Amino acid sequence: MKHNMNSELKKQLNIIVLGIAFMFMFTAFQTCGNIAQTVITNLNHTDFHGSGYTSMAVIYGVFSASNIISPSVVAVIGPQLSMFISGIFYSLYIAIFIQPITWSFYTASVFLGIAAAVLWTAQGNCLTINSNENTIGRNSGIFWALLQFSLFFGNLYIYFAWQGKTYISESDRRTVFISLTVISLVGTLLFFLIRTPNETISEEEESSAETIADNMSGQSKTSRAMDAIKRSFKLCATKRILLLSVPTAYTGLELTFFSGVYGTCIGAIKKFGVEGKSLIGLSGIFIGIGEILGGGIFGLLSKNNRFGRNPVVMLGIVVHFIAFYLIFCNIPNDAPIASMEGTDSIAFMKPSKEVAIFCSLLLGFGDSCFNTQLLSILGFLYSEDSAPAFAIFKFIQVISISKWQNQMVMMFGAFSSVLDSQQLPGPQIALDLQQFV
């Protein structure tokens, strides 16, 4: 009994360390994603000729392809080392902005795409290893809440440090990105604190496990890697994965919008005055608050939820419907592509700071409704095949993100001239590709 308690405590601590490590890493990376487009715009007059659009196209293209091999990487070197190596490449990508060079910016984008696929596959595998059918819901909520503190801390700094600024100086840029690089490296090192959980087994089971281990030791790493890829392709054709692909694709779509696009839109509205740029950070803070509230509530109530996961998902749908309707009415249609000077346009109502920030809260809370339940479902249904399952989950998300970005670009090209000539408040077209991965 005491051994069981120690094992459960170790698993619980592993989940907390996992969440804190991701919190540090994504405090740095998500803050980088929120401000990258603004920083790149300010670099247009220098020797740096990088494009956030091209960078994100490279990242998501490589990310999509790398999900095929990410289960193999995790199977061969394990989730802990996989997350550590991936964290190094996240930190390198952030460090590029300290002294941006065009070729290194695009090279880092390629490696980041590979690292992102391996990181999230390893995270799902680690979450599942340290959970069972009774704790997967709680652990998913705890991890999600800790992860989303990253939005709160990073954007809190941006809000206060950049308040009233319309131009990002070189010294400000270097200070911010040196700090973000260090924070990302701290999170990366925390992965080494995760310990392999010990299960209670009988002498007969222990003897059997030793026999299996001896057989596995004779199996080559190449064989294990190929086996992981085969399992991934087999899972893709199952009914459960096909059904889960619908809500997973939606999370990719809404992530495309709120993870950087919405903040850029808010910052481009001139009627918000000198606070416009700092509102980008405030928007990120309230998205984070919504995510933390959702993760905490659904994590704590998972054991006492007699109605299952469906009501949580339906709540997310209603919350996002309200958020997108208010955004449609509040944000001008040319905000995503406005110049550095911003836009004076008005949508269906006078732009309101309060409505914009309230929508950020709704976007975060709704997103947590979907993601906490998807993580819980995957960990519960695929406890024996978690790495391939989570790789497929991320693959579908990334394909959805890429697909919708391409469609929005084509839609904007077709309708922008009509909207401008008739001066109509057209649909919200979100084109900022500085997302988190």
Side-chain angles (χ1 to χ4, degrees), residues 61 102 113 162 203 224 308 351 393 400:
T102 305
W162 290 9
E203 291 183 3
R224 277 187 287 167
F393 169 67
S400 175

Side-chain angles (χ1 to χ4, degrees), residues 76-398:
V76 171
I77 67 175
Q80 185 182 55
L81 189 56
S82 297
M83 291 187 289
F84 173 76
I85 295 173
S86 298
I88 294 296
F89 285 108
Y90 270 74
S91 302
L92 287 174
Y93 180 82
I94 297 169
I96 291 297
F97 287 92
I98 298 172
Q99 187 60 51
I101 303 174
T102 305
W103 69 265
S104 62
F105 177 58
Y106 289 132
T107 302
S109 299
V110 173
F111 285 110
L112 180 61
I114 300 171
V118 174
L119 178 74
W120 286 105
T121 299
Q123 175 272 326
N125 184 235
C126 184
L127 178 66
T128 305
I129 290 172
N130 289 279
S131 305
N132 56 44
E133 61 180 15
N134 297 318
T135 62
I136 184 64
R138 180 199 66 191
N139 290 345
S140 296
I142 291 173
F143 169 78
W144 193 256
L146 288 171
L147 167 64
Q148 298 308 326
F149 268 104
S150 61
L151 280 173
F152 179 82
F153 292 129
N155 288 288
L156 190 66
Y157 169 77
I158 296 300
Y159 176 68
F160 286 108
W162 290 9
Q163 189 167 18
K165 293 185 178 181
T166 57
Y167 176 77
I168 311 303
S169 68
E170 183 177 349
S171 61
D172 286 341
R173 188 192 73 239
R174 287 183 175 177
T175 300
V176 169
F177 284 100
I178 288 174
S179 301
L180 295 180
T181 302
V182 172
I183 292 170
S184 178
L185 288 171
V186 170
T188 300
L189 291 173
L190 286 176
F191 288 129
F192 283 121
L193 297 180
I194 297 175
R195 294 290 177 260
T196 303
N198 297 320
E199 300 290 349
T200 303
I201 57 175
S202 64
E203 291 183 3
E204 183 179 348
E205 289 173 326
E206 185 176 358
S207 176
S208 175
E210 289 177 355
T211 303
I212 294 173
D214 290 338
N215 292 335
M216 286 294 292
S217 64
Q219 185 181 19
S220 68
K221 292 183 178 180
T222 303
S223 177
R224 277 187 287 167
M226 292 303 298
D227 185 56
I229 293 176
K230 290 177 183 177
R231 293 201 309 273
S232 298
F233 281 108
K234 286 181 181 179
L235 281 179
C236 284
T238 60
K239 181 180 178 181
R240 284 176 174 174
I241 288 294
L242 292 175
L243 290 174
L244 286 171
S245 66
V246 177
T248 299
Y250 173 72
T251 61
L253 170 60
E254 47 105 1
L255 177 64
T256 303
F257 178 74
F258 86 79
S259 64
V261 178
Y262 186 52
T264 300
C265 292
I266 293 175
I269 299 176
K270 294 177 70 173
K271 286 183 167 48
F272 288 162
V274 294
E275 295 181 355
K277 297 296 183 185
S278 62
L279 284 176
I280 298 174
L282 190 61
S283 172
I285 290 171
F286 275 84
I287 290 174
I289 291 174
E291 297 274 16
I292 294 165
L293 284 175
I297 292 171
F298 304 137
L300 292 174
L301 297 181
S302 62
K303 293 184 70 174
N304 300 319
N305 187 2
R306 66 182 66 180
F307 301 106
R309 300 182 178 93
N310 290 344
V312 178
V313 176
M314 289 302 300
L315 175 62
I317 293 173
V318 173
V319 168
H320 270 186
F321 180 85
I322 295 171
F324 286 127
Y325 178 76
L326 290 175
I327 291 169
F328 177 77
C329 294
N330 191 47
I331 303 294
N333 76 287
D334 60 343
I337 57 167
S339 64
M340 193 169 65
E341 288 74 26
T343 176
D344 286 313
S345 302
I346 296 177
F348 291 102
M349 58 182 284
K350 182 179 178 181
S352 167
K353 300 176 187 176
E354 292 76 16
V355 172
I357 298 304
F358 177 63
C359 289
S360 299
L361 180 69
L362 295 181
L363 287 171
F365 186 82
D367 183 63
S368 71
C369 292
F370 292 103
N371 279 285
T372 55
Q373 302 313 302
L374 283 170
L375 289 174
S376 177
I377 290 170
L378 289 171
F380 176 75
L381 293 178
Y382 301 101
S383 58
E384 301 298 325
D385 244 350
S386 58
F390 279 91
I392 294 170
F393 169 67
K394 276 297 170 182
F395 176 76
I396 296 171
Q397 267 194 338
V398 174

